[in-house]
Amino acid sequence: DRLGAQPVPAPPRVNLPSTAAPTDIEALARAGARLGSPSAQATAASPLRIFITLEMPRASLQLLTDQAARSGAVLVLRGLKANSMRETLAAVSSLIGERQVAWVIDPEAFARHRIERAPTFVLSLDDRADTATNCGTDCRTPPAFVSVSGDVSLEHALDALARQRPEARPLVTPLLARLKGP
């Protein structure tokens, strides 16, 4: 009788430091989640794509990543490193670090723009030309883009793109301004 009259003690309050739960990449892939931060996804609207491979020299990759972060360019990979999303994310994370850089895995873009070497810099002159999906076996090259390949700085590539197609100058100018920054 007396046990029922006793108040129930409150559970102890334990304050644990907040830690982010590890990301379950496989669950995200199964759910079809988009990877990347919101700011990186917003940057994906950039007309400039830098097609790279993780097998490029580390110094070149770091330079291009830094320049992509400053200019708002999007880094494009053909596929997964060693056919593993985990290895790819680890490699890209170590490359990007804390920088805000948009990146995508898009094998169809490699076919669409006939990319044979990395790095290749592609500037879309028409937003609609770069949104084609389901490339299939016969990808047509969008007529509204200009590209240049070579292990060069982004500034040099943008100058070359503007020389190739003078109508690209209005797109190149703000990219160069962001690249040079304050």
Side-chain angles (χ1 to χ4, degrees), residues 123 125 146 161-174:
L123 182 68
L125 302 174
V146 61
L161 292 171
R163 281 192 311 272
Q164 275 184 20
R165 298 276 294 268
E167 65 270 23
R169 179 64 64 190
L171 293 170
V172 167
T173 301

Side-chain angles (χ1 to χ4, degrees), residues 61-85:
L61 283 171
Q62 288 176 331
L63 176 66
L64 289 175
T65 300
D66 181 56
Q67 292 174 339
R70 288 186 284 138
S71 68
V74 178
L75 299 176
V76 184
L77 296 170
R78 182 186 308 264
L80 301 175
K81 180 176 182 170
N83 288 327
S84 167
M85 182 61 95

Side-chain angles (χ1 to χ4, degrees), residues 28 31 38 126 142 182:
L28 288 173
D126 181 359

Side-chain angles (χ1 to χ4, degrees), residues 60-124:
S60 295
L61 283 171
Q62 288 176 331
L63 176 66
L64 289 175
T65 300
D66 181 56
Q67 292 174 339
R70 288 186 284 138
S71 68
V74 178
L75 299 176
V76 184
L77 296 170
R78 182 186 308 264
L80 301 175
K81 180 176 182 170
N83 288 327
S84 167
M85 182 61 95
R86 289 184 195 277
E87 284 190 42
T88 304
L89 285 175
V92 170
S93 293
S94 75
L95 180 64
I96 291 176
E98 296 297 317
R99 294 176 283 217
Q100 295 294 315
V101 179
W103 66 278
V104 296
I105 298 172
D106 190 353
E108 290 182 355
F110 274 77
R112 194 169 42 251
H113 295 291
R114 289 182 170 60
I115 304 299
E116 296 176 2
R117 289 181 291 266
T120 295
F121 306 84
V122 175
L123 182 68
S124 293

